[in-house]
Structure formats: structure tokens, C-alpha cells
Amino acid sequence: MSDSKRRLAPAPTGANAGPDAQQRRKNVGTACLACKARKLKCTGNSPCANCVKHGLECTLNQAADKRRRGHMKRKIDLLEDKEDLLIGLVGILRESGNRRTIPLLNLIRSNASLTELRHYIDHELPRADLARTPELVEVCNEVQRLQQNEARSVRRILDAKRLSDIPRFRVPAGPWTTVTEDDDFVSHLVSLWFTWCHPFCNWVDRSRFLRDMKAGSKAGAAYCSPFLVNIILADACAYSDYPEACAKAEDPTTRGSHFYDEAKRLLEKEEGRISLPTVQGLGVLWTCAAMTGRDRQGWIYRSQLAYSVQELSHTYSVLAPKTDEDTLRMVRVISNTHWGLFNIATVHALFEKKMPPIKPPQRVSLPPVSHDSDQDDWQPYPTFAEGIRSHTDCLFNALCQLNLITYDLCALLFRGDPDWSPVECDRHIEDAHTRLRQWSDRLPDCLKGNQIEAPHILSLHMYYHAIIMTLYGLSNTLPSSSPNSHTHPHSQYHNHLHLEDSYNHPRLSSARAISQLLRIHRTSWGVDRMPVHNIHFIAAALFALLDHLSDPANRDAFVNISVTAKAFSRRWKSSKAILRSLRATARERATELPTETEPLFAVLEIQGQGQASLQGQGLGVLYGNGQASRSANSKGREETVVSTEGGSSDLS
């Protein structure tokens, strides 16, 4: 009986197993591509049994295995690989003395992708340098192994960032836009725009705009409209890394174009009606078109904006005598909108070397300055960091006063074609520089010294130095001899050289100051995001430094600014055009650019061949060659300058 209850021991593996048991297939998470196409059961190894049997290429995509264990293992492996790459790069930059590691560092600083790093190492580094730098070979291999996973990893990281993203301002998508119904995405874009673009431009009343948008009703919304909302969303897409920011998936050239097209459609529906949101939206539409390479459209919107500001100014004069609170509030907002649009029009006009299309208001009705507001703070959204004081009203007042000087400067330089002698030119420049120095001396303490930290305050000081560079760039327009002078030609030549040298000193000093301000921005906030209008100041500094790279201080400043310009080019097409034109101008002048900047121009040259020469001539005129711009301006001066109430005195 005990024998009958005795349990039998398990048979040894394969002892009495039948054919089916011996050929039992192990459970695999994914099949190779060939087995998937032929709908066969795959053994899961590479090469699999079916591919070996039929002589096929076996490709196994481990990422297609959606099982939790496999997914976690691949994620851990990817993180370990990236950690190894980071440690390797840090080791190279710390220990290697090879001159090629500096360009690699600059490329990394410009937020380069793994693909760009790989391209630089594969195509730009001479083989001899690679042989002398075995550390770079190791990095090359690491990048090659990792770049296959980059697209997937970026999406995962983006998902993680999105889960923790808390927009500063919560607003609804409807009824303001039909492009998306995602309130979170719209809140994300609005928060980006009011963080990085608005503080320097500041022609939209933030609090009242947000109040009307949050109400979610177009009826009775005096400070918000679907047109204004959609063009703000289009402009903000340049600052966003969300996939929805692109109209076509994974195509960065379509960033914001879906909101842009919606804004254009809504503008057409307004059929020329002028309202506060319409004028504010035209300002955003014009600057957005200019920064994204839509130059022809930008000129059209610029003219529409100039006319609309004139009509808005008339509304301001009609409403001003009324005393009810709502009307007075609207009058103040209209006045600030006029000043804000005057400011940005003057910034653009200075670097286009033309007269601004908008004159300043006659009445100096700048907003009162107060440091008591608890709402006056700035946070570097979407980064989690402690906020700082914004001083927006102080900056707005200072920018308006600076642009009154700039407006007079544009009238002096670009209205007509005066035939100045070197002495007359020197006098005009000194008078203008005196006004600029007085403006700088009168700045409140919150806008200078150790308080220069917020991005829009940094932009204000960069603009100041860019004006000085433009002012002293007049040395390019001076003739080698004056037709009205009776001095000896040899004396005229030396006088001209003396003036040119005296003009170059403040130009180069200001260019280096812009480099230092960009270092502060990069240290505090990175280079991935900054006010878009900084590109004008960056370009002016690069072209000013281009012919003076033999000086180590100028060379260092040029390299630092180029890194920032490269980071800019990842978000705005206009920056790519500037970098290409800079390279083309350097070649025309036989100027050798610093070795440290080689990788920054490498990919752009491949993308922009055939356009670089034309862009080099056009943008070189804007930022480098004053004589050519003066000639072009005197021949084709067909623009209409809108004359609103008042103006200001000429510098002369």
C-alpha cells in the first residue's frame, strides 16, 4: 500500500520527451522583421532559426518588446550608456589639451543634439587629429551607439517633463482657438510667451488679457480676441519643445504654423476693423513673420500696423477727456500699447537702417513706476527655479526713453543722404553718445549694477550697446577724402584713419560687453530660451568683431556670441540666415574664423548652400556695411512713416 502511494521522481530533462516537447518554442517578446513580414513564429534570437534556414537578413528590434521587464532593462541600459558618455565627455574636456576639444565644448554649450556631435566628429575633425586624440574616438563610438536611441529617449524625457510641467497661467483653449482643445497646451504656450517675449516688448496688458481669456467668452472681451490669442500661441511655439508645437509631427520648420495660419484667417475676417486686440495682434504678427523668415508678409503687416497705430492714437485722443474708470483704464492701456509698438518698431528700424514706421506719442504718458507690487516677479518657466523681481515698469520707462534717442538717431542717419565731412560726422556722433551716456547714468538702481539679471533687463543693456555699435559704425560711410576740403590728401587720409580707429574702440568695447551680458544669461538661465529680439544685438556684435579677431579679447567674445547664436538657430530661422551670412562675409573678406567656431557653422553650411552668398550681401549690409545700406536706402526710400501726435527733437 505504501508502494502504491509512493510519488514518482520527475524524469530527467529530455529522457522520455516526445518530439513536440523537444521543439517547444520559448516565449519571446518580439519577432524579427522578416518573421513578422512572413507571419512566422520567431525564436527570438539574432539570427533566428527561420532567417538562418532561408538565408534572410535577421533584424531584431528590441524596443518593440513591450513587456515590462524588457522595457525596464532597456531603459536602465540607455541611462547607463548616457552616463558613460557624460563621464567620457567630462574627462575629455577636463584632461585633454588638444585644441579640438574646445570646439566640441562650444558645440555642447549650444545645445547640440547627439546627431550634431556625431556629425562634427565624423566629418569636421581631421583624421590626424582623431589619431592624436584617442579619447575622441571613444566618444565617437559612444555617440554612434546612442544616437539610434535618441529619438525614443527624447520623447520619454519630454513625457516626464510634461508630467511635471505646471504652467504659470491657466487659461482655456476655447473659444479662442480651433487648432487645439487642449487647455494644458494652450496654458503652456501662453506662459512661455509672457515669460520670454512679453517683458521686453510689453504692448499687451498681461493682467487684463489673462482676465478676459480666463473668462472664456468673446462677448465683452475688450482686451482679448481669437486673433490676438492665436498669433501669441504661434509666436510662443518657438519657445516650446512639445510635439504639438509643430503643425507636422517631427518637422521643426512647421513650428507654430498651424496657429499662424489660423491667426491670418481671423485677421481677414475682421475686414479692417480696428480694435485694441487687433492692433496688439498685428504687432505680434509682424515680429513673428520677421523672426521666422516670412519677410514679404512681414513688410505687409508692418504697413498695416503703422496705419492701425494711427487709428488707435485717434481713439486715444477721443477717449482721453472722459473720466469714468473703465475709459481711463482703456486710455492708459492704449497709451502703453502705442509706446510698446513704437519701441519694437524703432528697434527693428535701427538694424534695418531705415526710419521707424511709428512716431512716439506727443504726450509723455509713461506708466508710473512702483516697487511695491507683489505681482512684479519673473520666473524662468518652464524651468523650476526661484523667481526674481521683474522691474517691468522701470524697464518699460527706460526703453521708451532710450528709443526717443534712437528715433532721433535714425532721423539723423537714415532720412536723406547727408554729405558730412569727417569733422561734422564726429560732432554728430559725440552729441548722440553724450545723450546715450546721460540715459545710462539716469537708470534706476534696479536696472544696473548687480541687479542686471532678468533676461529682459539684460536685453535692455544689449540694446544700448548695439546702438553704440551702430552709431560708431559710421566710420564705414566716411569717404577717404572730402570734396569740400582743401587740406592735403595725405593729411585727409591720416585724419580718416584716426577717426576710424577712434570709432572702432567703442564699437568693439560694446561688442565685448554684449558677450559678457550673454555669459550672465547663460550662467543664470541657459541659452535654450531668451528674448527673440536679442538676435539683432547678437548679429551686430558678431559683424563688429569680424574684422578684429586677432585681438584675443575680441576672439573670445566672438566665440562666446557664436555659441549663443547657434543655440538661437535651433528655434528661429532668422538666426540661421545670420550665421550663414557671417560665414559668407568672412570668406569674401578672407577672414579666418576661430577654430573654436568650426562645428557651429558646419551643419548650417550644408543646409544653406546656394543661399549664403545672397544672405551674406543682405545681412552684411544690415549689420556690417553702413555705406551700402545708406546707398540702398537713398535709392529706394518708398516707405510711409505714420505721423501721430508730436515727435521729438533732432540730435543735430
Side-chain angles (χ1 to χ4, degrees), residues 31 50-51 77 122 124 182 192 325 327 359 410 503 526 563 623:
N50 290 325
C51 290
D77 290 343
D122 271 355
E124 302 303 320
D182 190 342
L192 283 173
E325 185 60 31
T327 301
K359 285 188 176 182
C410 289
Y503 289 174
V563 170
Y623 298 108

Side-chain angles (χ1 to χ4, degrees), residues 161-176:
K161 287 183 178 179
R162 188 158 189 169
L163 289 174
S164 60
D165 188 356
I166 304 176
R168 288 200 66 196
F169 308 108
R170 287 285 181 183
V171 290
W176 308 109

Side-chain angles (χ1 to χ4, degrees), residues 203-280:
W203 62 75
V204 175
D205 188 292
R206 188 181 76 179
S207 62
R208 293 177 176 85
F209 170 86
L210 293 174
R211 182 200 64 187
D212 283 359
M213 191 174 181
K214 288 176 182 178
S217 174
K218 291 184 284 187
Y223 300 95
C224 182
S225 71
F227 165 60
L228 177 57
V229 168
N230 277 274
I231 193 57
I232 283 177
L233 298 179
D235 202 27
C237 282
Y239 297 95
S240 176
D241 294 322
Y242 282 16
E244 301 96 311
C246 298
K248 296 180 181 178
E250 299 180 358
D251 183 0
T253 62
T254 64
R255 196 187 300 268
S257 61
H258 39 351
F259 292 110
Y260 185 89
D261 292 339
E262 175 78 352
K264 289 200 303 180
R265 183 184 66 81
L266 292 168
L267 179 62
E268 292 173 359
K269 287 182 62 177
E270 295 193 10
E271 297 179 342
R273 292 188 296 270
I274 302 298
S275 66
L276 176 65
T278 301
V279 176
Q280 293 172 336

Side-chain angles (χ1 to χ4, degrees), residues 182-199:
D182 190 342
D183 294 346
D184 291 336
F185 179 49
V186 170
S187 299
H188 164 74
L189 293 178
V190 168
S191 298
L192 283 173
W193 195 81
F194 279 108
T195 298
W196 297 103
C197 186
H198 172 262

Side-chain angles (χ1 to χ4, degrees), residues 134-175:
E135 299 94 336
L136 284 180
V137 177
E138 184 177 352
V139 172
C140 176
N141 295 332
E142 289 289 336
V143 171
Q144 183 179 19
R145 187 159 53 90
L146 288 176
Q147 69 180 46
Q148 298 173 353
N149 299 319
E150 183 181 15
R152 293 191 301 273
S153 65
V154 168
R155 186 57 183 266
R156 291 192 192 116
I157 293 172
L158 183 58
D159 291 341
K161 287 183 178 179
R162 188 158 189 169
L163 289 174
S164 60
D165 188 356
I166 304 176
R168 288 200 66 196
F169 308 108
R170 287 285 181 183
V171 290

Side-chain angles (χ1 to χ4, degrees), residues 367-400:
V369 176
S370 173
H371 293 91
D372 300 329
S373 175
D374 295 333
Q375 303 299 322
D376 186 29
D377 65 332
W378 183 87
Q379 296 177 2
Y381 176 82
T383 304
F384 292 100
E386 185 177 353
I388 60 174
R389 295 300 300 273
S390 179
H391 302 290
T392 307
D393 289 343
C394 298
L395 179 133
F396 187 76
N397 276 266
L399 184 59
C400 292

